[in-house]
């Protein structure tokens, strides 16, 4: 079964992404701070953490492997660099999803 990680996963766009990936039969994980009231659908693995704590963020994924990682909460060049460090060699595809805000 293909695996996907969504950094974020509770926003307007990423909630739909989670639903679409589940509908396609992927095993889905989300990483976020757990501050929003909406919850991940049943069957979604929730990984709690704060990407601003870069050492912890990188360590969280040190032994993880995903087919695809979607970064929905990257807002600075520094965050992008940390994502590259965290997922280099640990995923087949890395998708950076930006918005007008970025």
């Amino acid at each position: 079964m293909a695996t996907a990680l969504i950094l974020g996963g509770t926003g307007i766009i990423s909630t739909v992404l989670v639903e679409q990936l589940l509908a396609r039969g992927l095993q889905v994980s989300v990483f976020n701070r757990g501050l929003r009231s909406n919850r991940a659908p049943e069957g979604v693995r929730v990984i709690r953490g704060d990407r601003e704590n870069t050492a912890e963020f990188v360590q969280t994924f040190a032994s993880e492997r995903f087919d695809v990682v979607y970064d929905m909460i990257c807002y600075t060049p520094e965050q992008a660099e940390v994502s590259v460090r965290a997922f280099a060699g640990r995923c087949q595809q890395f998708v950076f999803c930006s918005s007008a805000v970025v």
Side-chain angles (χ1 to χ4, degrees):
M1 177 183 294
T3 59
L5 170 68
I6 296 111
L7 303 178
T10 58
I12 294 169
I13 298 169
S14 56
T15 299
V16 174
L17 177 60
V18 169
E19 292 169 357
Q20 291 294 312
L21 294 171
L22 288 171
R24 293 179 184 209
L26 276 76
Q27 182 180 344
V28 178
S29 299
V30 297
F31 172 85
N32 59 53
R33 296 173 296 170
L35 300 179
R36 294 212 176 166
S37 60
N38 54 335
R39 305 178 85 152
E42 186 175 326
V44 172
R45 176 181 169 212
V46 177
I47 305 167
R48 298 261 186 256
D50 187 345
R51 78 174 301 148
E52 290 300 316
N53 183 336
T54 57
E56 183 179 287
F57 179 77
V58 171
Q59 182 59 37
T60 296
F61 299 106
S63 63
E64 299 275 353
R65 300 289 181 271
F66 299 96
D67 292 303
V68 61
V69 174
Y70 295 90
D71 194 342
M72 309 297 287
I73 54 173
C74 182
Y75 301 106
T76 67
E78 294 78 21
Q79 288 176 334
E81 289 172 3
V82 171
S83 286
V84 169
R85 190 170 0 131
F87 298 107
R90 295 184 179 94
C91 66
Q92 297 298 311
Q93 291 182 306
F94 184 88
V95 179
F96 168 74
C97 184
S98 184
S99 69
V101 176
V102 176

